[in-house]
Amino acid sequence: MEIRTNAFVQRIMQNEGTKEYQRKMQSYRKGQFFVYKCSEGFDTIGYGHLCTPQEVQEYKNGLSELKAITLLQRDLLEAENDARRLFEINRHSLEVQQLLVEMVFQLGANTASKFKQFKAALDAKDYNRAALELIDSRWYKQTPNRVQLHVDVLRKQ
């Protein structure tokens, strides 16, 4: 079962900010993506790629759409591998697997690993309790609309 479907990747691109949105925010101009500060103050480019200090310098003249999509694909593969390591994702539906990959993509593996009560609820397949754990998180307060979509997925299980 393919987790990183075209629809999933398109949803991530939408959630991270379309070119039109980024154009409005001045991080996409002249056909190139430029480094911007995410809501947590980290250097980011394209579709949510967290930049290393070296990449900030490398991308100072912009990044093509093709390169931004390539970075996204690489980041999602890494997030999927981390989600497999942190959660027993194969025990869950495709929608929950995608939720977990997006969670790790957005938060990073280190932060996602701190959701211990959420993981315990998932392990018990108590999806309603898992949803409540997400609602009770700092992540929900930071990006409520995005996390609410994950809550809705869990509540439909």
Side-chain angles (χ1 to χ4, degrees), residues 93-128:
S93 69
L94 175 61
E95 293 80 13
V96 173
Q97 291 179 38
Q98 289 176 335
L99 173 163
L100 294 169
V101 170
E102 187 171 356
M103 176 184 187
V104 172
F105 171 76
Q106 188 180 5
L107 296 175
N110 187 46
T111 300
S113 71
K114 295 176 183 173
F115 281 66
K116 301 213 182 294
Q117 296 302 320
F118 170 75
K119 183 183 182 323
L122 278 181
D123 288 347
K125 291 198 172 191
D126 186 346
Y127 296 112
N128 284 323

Side-chain angles (χ1 to χ4, degrees), residues 9-62:
V9 173
Q10 290 297 317
R11 187 174 71 233
I12 299 289
M13 291 169 73
Q14 180 76 30
N15 288 342
E16 291 299 328
T18 63
K19 283 192 298 186
E20 293 74 26
Y21 174 78
Q22 291 196 45
R23 187 176 288 118
K24 184 175 137 186
M25 302 307 290
Q26 300 293 308
S27 58
Y28 182 82
R29 54 192 185 278
K30 299 179 186 174
Q32 298 281 309
F33 290 93
F34 290 87
V35 174
Y36 64 92
K37 298 284 187 189
C38 73
S39 62
E40 292 296 298
F42 296 109
D43 289 322
T44 307
I45 197 166
Y47 299 107
H49 176 74
L50 184 64
C51 293
T52 64
Q54 296 83 2
E55 288 174 322
V56 171
Q57 286 303 309
E58 181 182 341
Y59 303 141
K60 67 182 177 198
N61 295 320

Side-chain angles (χ1 to χ4, degrees), residues 1-4 75-85 89 97 101 104-105:
M1 177 168 26
E2 174 66 27
I3 293 175
R4 289 169 285 117
D75 291 345
L76 288 174
L77 177 59
E78 184 178 329
E80 181 179 336
N81 290 335
D82 287 338
R84 287 185 186 288
R85 182 175 50 80
I89 67 174
Q97 291 179 38
V101 170
V104 172
F105 171 76

Side-chain angles (χ1 to χ4, degrees), residues 125-136:
K125 291 198 172 191
D126 186 346
Y127 296 112
N128 284 323
R129 188 173 61 138
L132 291 173
E133 291 297 331
L134 290 185
I135 291 169
D136 192 35

